[in-house]
C-alpha cells in the first residue's frame, strides 16, 4: 500500500541521513564496529531497531520529527 511505501521511504531517508552525518558508510561501520556491508544494507532497508535506538541517543538532532 501507499502508506507502507511512505514509511519505507522515510526509514531509508532516515538511515541515509544518519549514515551521512556519521561520516559515511565506512566511518559508521568503524564507529559501530561492524562490517561496512551491514551499514550499506541500512541504506536499502533502514536502520535496525537497536541501532536506531543507539543513534537516537548519541545524535538526537538527526531524529527531530516534524510536528
Amino acid at each position: 500500500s501507499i502508506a507502507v511505501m511512505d514509511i519505507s521511504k522515510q526509514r531509508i531517508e532516515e538511515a541515509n541521513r544518519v549514515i551521512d552525518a556519521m561520516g559515511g558508510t565506512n566511518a559508521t561501520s568503524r564507529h559501530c564496529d561492524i562490517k561496512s556491508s551491514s551499514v550499506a544494507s541500512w541504506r536499502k532497508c533502514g536502520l535496525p531497531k537497536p541501532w536506531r535506538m543507539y543513534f537516537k541517543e548519541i545524535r538526537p538532532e538527526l531524529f527531530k520529527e516534524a510536528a
Side-chain angles (χ1 to χ4, degrees):
S1 75
I2 293 174
V4 172
M5 287 176 37
D6 288 345
I7 292 169
S8 298
K9 185 179 177 191
Q10 288 173 349
R11 286 179 52 89
I12 291 167
E13 288 172 355
E14 177 184 83
N16 284 318
R17 183 171 61 249
V18 170
I19 294 165
D20 293 343
M22 294 297 294
T25 301
N26 290 326
T28 304
S29 69
R30 285 191 302 273
H31 178 85
C32 297
D33 196 26
I34 60 175
K35 294 180 179 180
S36 60
S37 60
S38 297
V39 175
S41 75
W42 299 352
R43 291 191 183 273
K44 297 176 186 163
C45 303
L47 298 170
K49 188 172 183 179
W51 285 113
R52 187 176 191 274
M53 293 169 63
Y54 170 75
F55 287 118
K56 250 184 148 166
E57 284 293 316
I58 66 163
R59 297 293 301 272
E61 74 279 5
L62 298 175
F63 294 89
K64 298 294 184 208
E65 305 292 335

